[in-house]
Amino acid sequence: MRDLGVYFGTFAPCHVGHFEQIVRAKRENTRAVVIVSGYDGDRGDLAGMSLVNRTKSMRELLKDDDNVTVMKLDETDIPKYPAGWQPWLELLEAHIIEGAGEFNSVTFYVGEDEYIEPLNTYFTAQWPDRDIVITRVDRRITGISGTSIRENPIYNWDYVTRPFRRFFVQNVLIIGTASTGKTTLTRDLARRYSTSYSLEYSREYQTERQVKDDELDIKDLQAIGIGQYEVNRKHIHSPGTRKVFFADTDVMTTKLYSKIYLSDEDYQKIAPVFDFYISQQTWALILLLPPTTTYVDDGFRDMSQADADSRNKMHQMFLDELEQHGLMERTVVLQGDSFQEKYEEAHRLVDELLAEGKDN
């Protein structure tokens, strides 16, 4: 048992091969330091995994290991590899000292031969009184690489450690006017793909507070919009989410209802808040259910002309809002005459989204 194990990498994402080496570092040493390294615009950042978010995910992965410290090494302001060896090694040394404190022996676990000589030369000179060992590990232990995962994350899903899976979840939004069957469609699709889904937060909010539609004020609608965003985000990050997540409505829907229920003055106040949250959402596919002439969830009885006109107007508002946010390219208006036809069309679109990575 040695004092300190050091394992570093970009971890874009952290896969089970990485995790095996982290386990080794923390078992062969009294404590370990895991260093997440990278810079703005690195290969992880380009794939939607910023250095900060990778570090957060690594801390989440190792949060119950008291003898493991996760550090973030930001290379943004130093020359890129291979020109920046000296400043990178200096940063590495500072992070090890900060994360580990006192130690007499240290083992570096590296996956590439080109790291061995620079690490050995630098740290032998810097720490002449410490016992330094450089251990070459086999990164092919699982036959997988970060590059393979980034190129086909759904196919390689089981190799990605759980906190990093959120970067690859395919998020599907299902929206539409009232009584189009979107809640039923959301549930059926989630069950079909054995994954999680969210429902309309407004129903929960209004039931809990006993607020009717015509009583909603600006504070209520702000709480509903942000609450819907948080509900969706919670499910995307949930262990129960597997490859794809289905959301029954989003912040955009709350924004449209705000336009209906609020005065123009209040709507102008709240719209920028909703626009910010809409910009933070990432949808791989948006399924828009068109208005129907019957109540799908209420006995299939005919609507009045006024109700039909209102829902057609709301449908157009959805289209306009999607256009405003540049989301039409990801949007499909389901065309089936029956609910079964709409379900089959949605099923086919999700299959295409998951491509060869689907497993059921």
Side-chain angles (χ1 to χ4, degrees), residues 18-291:
H18 293 137
F19 185 71
E20 291 297 327
Q21 304 310 325
I22 294 171
V23 170
R24 181 178 177 183
K26 74 176 186 175
R27 296 302 180 203
E28 295 180 349
N29 302 273
T30 303
R31 57 192 183 281
V33 174
V34 175
I35 296 176
V36 185
S37 185
Y39 52 88
D40 293 343
D42 66 12
R43 59 182 180 267
D45 196 9
L46 294 175
M49 297 172 281
S50 70
L51 174 60
V52 170
N53 285 333
R54 297 196 308 265
T55 305
K56 290 178 181 178
S57 297
M58 186 64 80
R59 290 198 191 108
E60 183 179 342
L61 177 66
L62 301 170
K63 63 183 178 182
D64 297 322
D65 283 311
D66 295 334
N67 62 333
V68 180
T69 301
V70 176
M71 306 291 292
K72 176 173 89 299
L73 194 160
D74 192 342
E75 306 171 24
T76 302
D77 296 326
I78 65 173
K80 300 300 180 286
Y81 175 85
W85 266 119
Q86 185 64 27
W88 186 84
L89 288 164
E90 291 171 358
L91 283 173
L92 180 63
E93 179 187 8
H95 283 67
I96 293 171
I97 296 297
E98 180 183 351
E102 294 298 322
F103 55 92
N104 295 314
S105 61
V106 57
T107 303
F108 291 91
Y109 298 84
V110 301
E112 304 291 347
D113 290 334
E114 57 261 37
Y115 285 103
I116 296 175
E117 191 278 328
L119 286 169
N120 191 55
T121 300
Y122 180 85
F123 285 103
T124 298
Q126 291 296 109
W127 298 339
D129 297 328
R130 289 183 171 127
D131 178 13
I132 298 167
V133 172
I134 315 293
T135 298
R136 174 72 158 86
V137 301
D138 185 1
R139 291 174 56 184
R140 299 171 298 171
I141 189 169
T142 61
I144 194 65
S145 70
T147 301
S148 298
I149 292 171
R150 290 191 299 275
E151 291 176 349
N152 197 341
I154 302 302
Y155 182 80
N156 294 302
W157 184 264
D158 290 330
Y159 293 114
V160 183
T161 56
R162 182 163 286 168
F164 286 80
R165 290 178 177 177
R166 69 191 61 166
F167 299 116
F168 304 109
V169 172
Q170 301 296 298
N171 301 317
V172 178
L173 171 63
I174 300 172
I175 52 176
T177 62
S179 299
T180 54
K182 62 183 187 299
T183 299
T184 302
L185 181 61
T186 301
R187 286 194 176 112
D188 285 350
L189 288 171
R191 290 164 179 160
R192 170 63 181 80
Y193 291 94
S194 301
T195 191
S196 67
Y197 63 94
S198 68
L199 297 178
E200 288 188 48
Y201 178 68
S202 62
R203 295 183 183 181
E204 176 185 339
Y205 180 92
Q206 290 182 251
T207 299
E208 181 179 337
R209 291 164 177 77
Q210 290 295 293
V211 180
K212 297 181 179 179
D213 287 351
D214 60 0
E215 296 172 340
L216 293 168
D217 60 21
I218 187 170
K219 292 181 179 179
D220 291 319
L221 287 160
Q222 176 176 302
I224 290 170
I226 296 174
Q228 186 70 59
Y229 175 87
E230 291 298 332
V231 166
N232 290 346
R233 188 172 71 91
K234 178 181 178 181
H235 280 281
I236 292 169
H237 293 189
S238 168
T241 299
R242 181 173 176 79
K243 302 183 182 181
V244 61
F245 158 69
F246 297 97
D248 174 6
T249 205
D250 74 325
V251 185
M252 191 178 352
T253 304
T254 312
K255 180 185 177 185
L256 296 186
Y257 279 109
S258 297
K259 196 168 188 176
I260 293 171
Y261 290 117
L262 296 179
S263 67
D264 185 63
E265 180 181 358
D266 280 349
Y267 174 74
Q268 295 303 323
K269 291 177 183 176
I270 199 67
V273 176
F274 290 146
D275 285 339
F276 168 76
Y277 281 97
I278 291 170
S279 72
Q280 300 303 299
Q281 301 175 141
T282 304
W283 303 113
L285 175 65
I286 300 173
L287 302 177
L288 175 59
L289 279 77

